[in-house]
């Protein structure tokens, strides 16, 4: 039995340097059934999965302008599942011909004491919401159809109010940096959903008013 | 007038819209012109329903009927109508419709009362006897004519029906492209790209990770000569499969006793199996199924060879061309080879060194297929779906490794550490051990006569374990003393438990 190798160099690559490729779109409530039907046919053959999640967005205001944002998300339908902490970087301003939004992404699973931990670290909760909908996958691609709801009383996830009459559709892939074939595959998949929903890259920084 | 400059006189039409009011600062507000619905209402008001296309008598009749059957309300309303003509433009229309409804109701009531024949009866009006009977010949001729017209109509309808039935039959026989395409689509995945129809025959949507694209193209079979008779097996649709998936393949697994001869490696290319085609299946179905089988065999072999190279074991596995050779026991050789025949070469018929057809272990080949499909299914299991939805894909238990601080031993327990090759080697070892145990017991039983040895092999076995019950009895004393042994063929060794029964 040989001893496991001990590395002294810092760990780079692997799951640390993952990029998220993202395409977003939306459909009205009336069109949801046909979209789900279509996705059921196009994606991998599994039982359709629904989810109900509660997401909290934490901000750390430093001396500089931009606050540091962390997203903590837990599943309301699977209460024993670990929390998911996510950091999303700025979108890469690479060539304009890239079809998907690319940004640095760090995903960490955390235990149920995450909110207290973040509070102790100095983060303050900015806003929270409840998301429910359906999840599909095709190979490495994940398609999420979400209905977002606003929480009226902080901390109470029962009392929610829908934000809009539409569903948000997101197509995302987690891949190591530098793989541009991923965006090609995403674009061809988005083409197949074309008349029902238009998935395109939406720059979040351009959304601020 | 002379001398003065010519005066320009301009003529303009008067303002067509009526001025409703003039505001204090001089702007004029016009009466807005009637919209389409208002115009229609105005015209509808001018319709006089009581004036039919016949004559004024009907109109005159209509009025007393109105007064007789009409209720008080419409009369009042008609009265008020004279005073306020612009009360409601559809009013007269409404009234006329209501009176018509009243008359219909009365007619309906009269008819229902007459039907009962208790309170009212209908008598035919006596006809004028001087009208005279029409001559019989005339009646006959008129009946004949009407029957002929009826017969004509029926014949025309029957002709149309028979023509459409014949057309249907013809179509079905011809099996046109679209109906065939529909049938293809009910069994295989198709999509349209540009003007080409492409399909997917890979297992990727079933969970496979093999990088082959598995795309086939559907083409219309147009090389048919319409003058000649259409052949029986004509199909208007043809599929074009990728060139490396042509023919048919299978995985040959065999156990040999001799030590591997270096010169013999990589020469296994014998193909002796012809796939049976069921009558009634379309040629494209047979082709696509064969191509899918070839793809699965390639995937299995690729996975096995990858593991053979990567996994370290005491006796290294040899991978040569399309054959993997490993030694489960010293002196025993397990060879797994991918036999792919494109179906064109016929020169293998005359090969002298034909291996025994019993050499191939069908069970292990079936198990390989089964394990590969199980691996596919695992990829698709919902255990992989993330909750919360933003988490990356991955095994559910592995996601708990971080929060619950698993150490390396626990993590390696969660992950699947046995590959396809190891599993198949274990199964091959078990098969060999089982056959050797059976032979040993049988030879002992035939050699030793004094205590009788009987062996009962259990039918219900595992791939890694079999069980046999050995009964050792003395002739004539079976009731008194016998011993029975349960031998379980584990993987490397044989367990035996001995029970002794004594009858006092």
């Amino acid at each position: 039995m040989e001893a496991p190798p001990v590395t002294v160099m810092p760990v780079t690559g692997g799951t640390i340097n993952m990029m998220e490729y993202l395409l977003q779109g939306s459909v009205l409530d009336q069109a949801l059934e046909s979209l789900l039907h279509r996705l059921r046919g196009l994606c991998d053959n599994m039982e359709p999965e629904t989810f109900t999640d509660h997401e909290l967005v934490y901000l750390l205001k430093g001396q500089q302008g931009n606050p540091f944002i962390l997203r903590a998300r837990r599943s309301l339908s699977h209460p024993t599942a670990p929390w998911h902490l996510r950091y999303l970087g700025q979108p890469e301003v690479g060539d304009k011909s890239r079809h998907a939004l690319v940004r640095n992404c760090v995903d960490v699973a955390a235990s149920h004491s995450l909110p207290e931990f973040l509070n102790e670290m100095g983060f303050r909760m900015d806003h929270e919401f409840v998301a429910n909908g359906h999840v599909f996958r095709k190979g490495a691609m994940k398609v999420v159809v979400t209905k977002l709801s606003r929480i009226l009383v902080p901390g109470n996830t029962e009392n929610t109010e829908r934000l809009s009459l539409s569903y948000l559709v997101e197509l995302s892939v987690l891949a190591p940096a530098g793989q541009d074939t991923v965006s090609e595959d995403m674009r061809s998949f988005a083409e197949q959903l074309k008349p029902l929903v238009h998935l395109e890259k939406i720059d979040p920084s351009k959304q601020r008013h | 007038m002379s001398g003065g400059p010519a005066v320009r006189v301009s003529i303009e039409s008067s303002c067509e819209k009526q001025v409703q009011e003039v505001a204090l600062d001089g702007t004029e507000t016009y009466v807005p012109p009637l919209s389409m619905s208002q115009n229609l209402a105005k015209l509808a008001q001018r319709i006089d329903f009581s004036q039919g296309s016949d004559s004024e008598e009907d109109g005159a009749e209509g009025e007393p009927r109105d007064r007789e059957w009409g209720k008080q309300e419409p009369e009042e309303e008609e009265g008020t109508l004279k005073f306020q003509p612009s009360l409601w433009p559809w009013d007269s229309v409404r009234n006329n419709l209501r009176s018509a409804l009243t008359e219909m109701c009365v007619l309906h009531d009269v008819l229902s009362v007459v039907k009962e024949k208790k309170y009212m009866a209908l008598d035919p009006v006596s006809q004028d006897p001087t009208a005279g009977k029409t001559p019989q010949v005339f009646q006959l001729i008129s009946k004949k004519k009407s029957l002929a017209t009826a017969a004509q109509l029926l014949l025309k309808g029957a002709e149309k029906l028979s023509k459409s039935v014949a057309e249907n039959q013809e179509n079905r026989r011809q099996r046109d492209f679209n109906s065939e395409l529909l049938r293809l689509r009910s069994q295989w995945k198709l999509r349209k790209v540009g003007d080409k129809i492409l399909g997917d025959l890979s297992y990727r949507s079933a969970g496979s990770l093999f990088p082959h694209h598995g795309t086939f193209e559907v083409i219309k079979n147009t090389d048919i000569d319409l003058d000649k008779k259409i052949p029986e097996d004509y199909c208007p649709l043809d599929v074009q499969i990728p060139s490396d998936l042509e023919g048919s393949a299978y995985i040959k697994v065999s156990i040999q006793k001799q030590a591997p001869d270096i010169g013999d490696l990589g020469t296994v290319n014998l193909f002796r199996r012809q796939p049976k085609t069921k009558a009634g299946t379309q040629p494209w179905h047979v082709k696509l199924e064969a191509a899918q089988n070839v793809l699965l065999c390639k995937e299995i072999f690729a996975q096995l060879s990858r593991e053979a190279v990567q996994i370290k074991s005491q006796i290294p596995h040899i991978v040569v061309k399309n054959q993997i050779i490993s030694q489960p026991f010293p002196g025993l050789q397990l060879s797994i080879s991918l036999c792919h025949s494109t179906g064109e070469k016929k020169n293998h018929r005359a090969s002298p060194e034909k291996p025994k057809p019993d050499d191939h272990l069908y069970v292990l080949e079936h198990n390989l297929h089964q394990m590969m499909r199980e691996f596919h299914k695992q990829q698709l299991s919902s255990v992989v779906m993330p909750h919360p939805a933003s988490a990356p894909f991955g095994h559910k238990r592995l996601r708990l490794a971080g929060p619950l601080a698993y150490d390396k031993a626990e993590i390696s327990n969660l992950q699947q550490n046995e590959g396809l090759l190891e599993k198949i080697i274990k199964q091959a070892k078990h098969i060999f051990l089982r056959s050797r145990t059976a032979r040993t017991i049988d030879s002992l039983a035939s050699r030793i006569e004094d205590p009788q040895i009987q062996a009962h092999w259990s039918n219900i076995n595992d791939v890694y374990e079999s069980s046999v019950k050995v009964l050792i009895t003395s002739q004539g004393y079976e009731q008194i003393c016998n011993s029975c042994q349960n031998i379980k063929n584990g993987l490397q060794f044989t367990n035996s438990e001995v029970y002794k029964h004594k009858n006092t």
Side-chain angles (χ1 to χ4, degrees), chain A residues 55-69:
Chain A
E55 177 156 339
L56 302 94
V57 179
Y58 284 88
L59 287 184
L60 181 69
K61 288 197 173 65
Q63 295 88 354
Q64 303 95 330
N66 286 354
F68 188 74
I69 303 178

Side-chain angles (χ1 to χ4, degrees), chain B residues 270-331:
Chain B
L270 253 304
F271 193 81
R272 54 170 192 83
R273 259 201 276 173
Q274 300 303 321
K276 263 188 314 168
T277 49
K278 281 194 298 213
T281 48
Q282 327 291 357
W284 42 259
H285 191 67
V286 170
K287 226 174 172 181
L288 288 173
E289 269 192 356
Q292 202 175 44
N293 188 37
V294 171
L295 187 59
L296 185 65
C297 291
K298 283 195 173 199
E299 184 178 353
I300 293 175
F301 194 75
Q303 172 88 356
L304 286 172
S305 38
R306 190 176 36 231
E307 286 175 17
V309 169
Q310 282 176 354
I311 295 176
K312 300 185 189 41
S313 73
Q314 284 140 350
I315 307 175
H317 316 284
I318 306 173
V319 180
V320 178
K321 264 203 328 178
N322 64 340
Q323 195 178 14
I324 301 175
I325 299 178
S326 78
Q327 292 206 324
F329 291 127

Side-chain angles (χ1 to χ4, degrees), chain B residues 145-375:
Chain B
K145 232 185 202 165
S146 46
L147 278 173
T149 338
Q152 271 285 333
L153 276 171
L154 284 172
L155 270 173
K156 231 192 279 182
E159 216 178 87
K160 270 198 204 155
L161 265 177
S162 61
K163 220 195 293 184
S164 78
V165 164
E167 230 177 58
N168 251 0
Q169 295 259 354
E170 190 64 28
N171 270 349
R172 215 177 300 140
R173 202 178 70 82
Q174 284 215 352
R175 286 192 303 180
D176 71 324
F177 179 73
N178 287 328
S179 59
E180 202 66 19
L181 187 63
L182 212 63
R183 229 179 292 181
L184 177 64
R185 193 157 174 252
S186 67
Q187 296 181 24
W188 297 87
K189 277 175 91 146
L190 294 177
R191 66 179 194 273
K192 201 162 158 76
V193 172
D195 57 349
K196 288 199 287 189
I197 303 177
L198 298 177
D200 182 18
L201 54 75
S202 73
Y203 280 94
R204 247 171 323 158
S205 58
S208 158
L209 298 173
F210 198 52
H212 197 282
H213 55 89
T215 321
F216 65 90
E217 190 182 339
V218 178
I219 45 185
K220 204 166 180 166
N221 199 357
T222 47
D223 60 347
I224 171 173
D225 202 350
L226 284 168
D227 295 334
K228 299 200 209 120
K229 182 169 142 27
I230 302 168
E232 265 309 309
D233 56 351
Y234 164 69
C235 194
L237 194 145
D238 203 11
V239 289
Q240 197 171 36
I241 51 182
S243 52
D244 53 346
L245 297 181
E246 276 175 21
S248 53
Y250 73 105
I251 300 214
K252 183 164 148 60
V253 184
S254 61
I255 299 182
Q256 284 124 19
K257 276 270 184 59
Q258 66 271 22
D261 190 6
I262 302 292
D264 275 347
L265 293 179
T267 56
V268 182
N269 207 1
L270 253 304
F271 193 81
R272 54 170 192 83
R273 259 201 276 173
Q274 300 303 321
K276 263 188 314 168
T277 49
K278 281 194 298 213
T281 48
Q282 327 291 357
W284 42 259
H285 191 67
V286 170
K287 226 174 172 181
L288 288 173
E289 269 192 356
Q292 202 175 44
N293 188 37
V294 171
L295 187 59
L296 185 65
C297 291
K298 283 195 173 199
E299 184 178 353
I300 293 175
F301 194 75
Q303 172 88 356
L304 286 172
S305 38
R306 190 176 36 231
E307 286 175 17
V309 169
Q310 282 176 354
I311 295 176
K312 300 185 189 41
S313 73
Q314 284 140 350
I315 307 175
H317 316 284
I318 306 173
V319 180
V320 178
K321 264 203 328 178
N322 64 340
Q323 195 178 14
I324 301 175
I325 299 178
S326 78
Q327 292 206 324
F329 291 127
L332 198 69
Q333 171 191 330
L334 171 73
S335 115
I336 305 173
S337 38
L338 171 68
C339 300
H340 182 190
S341 131
T342 46
E344 283 149 6
K345 300 190 223 149
K346 295 271 196 223
N347 49 1
H348 286 296
R349 249 185 303 144
S351 63
E353 34 101 17
K354 202 167 177 258
K356 311 169 273 300
D358 306 320
D359 206 27
H360 171 59
L361 290 165
Y362 290 93
V363 176
L364 289 182
E365 184 197 358
H366 167 79
N367 285 352
L368 272 174
H369 279 255
Q370 206 174 35
M371 286 194 285
M372 195 75 229
R373 292 290 298 125
E374 254 181 48
F375 172 70

Side-chain angles (χ1 to χ4, degrees), chain B residues 79-124:
Chain B
T80 52
L81 201 62
K82 288 191 198 123
F83 293 120
Q84 292 164 15
S86 64
L87 180 70
W88 181 37
W90 292 94
D91 203 54
S92 59
V93 176
R94 200 260 315 258
N95 292 337
N96 289 324
L97 282 173
R98 191 187 276 187
S99 51
L101 171 67
T102 320
E103 285 178 37
M104 288 301 298
C105 291
V106 166
L107 181 63
H108 174 265
D109 290 338
V110 166
L111 283 174
S112 47
V113 168
V114 159
K115 213 168 70 139
E116 272 188 69
K117 292 189 189 146
K118 241 200 310 187
Y119 305 106
M120 223 196 268
L122 287 175
D123 277 333

Side-chain angles (χ1 to χ4, degrees), chain A residues 11-27:
Chain A
V11 179
T12 54
T15 51
I16 299 291
N17 224 2
M18 298 293 266
M19 309 297 275
E20 188 204 26
Y21 293 76
L22 181 68
L23 284 177
Q24 288 172 314
S26 73
V27 284

Side-chain angles (χ1 to χ4, degrees), chain A residues 4 44-46 49-51 53 73 75 77-78 81-82 84 86 107 109-111 135-137 140-142 174, chain B residues 189 191 204-207 379-393 396 399-400 402-403 408:
Chain A
D44 284 351
N45 191 14
M46 295 167 61
E49 285 269 324
T50 55
F51 68 91
D53 290 343
R73 193 154 167 156
S75 174
S77 49
H78 290 65
H84 176 232
R86 184 166 235 218
D107 289 299
S111 64
V135 170
F136 298 88
R137 71 174 289 196
M141 293 196 283
K142 178 162 48 162
L174 267 182
Chain B
K189 277 175 91 146
R191 66 179 194 273
R204 247 171 323 158
S205 58
Q379 291 297 312
L380 279 191
S381 73
S382 68
V383 177
V384 161
M385 279 305 228
H387 282 270
S390 55
F393 291 129
K396 186 170 73 169
R399 219 174 289 136
L400 286 169
K408 190 164 183 237

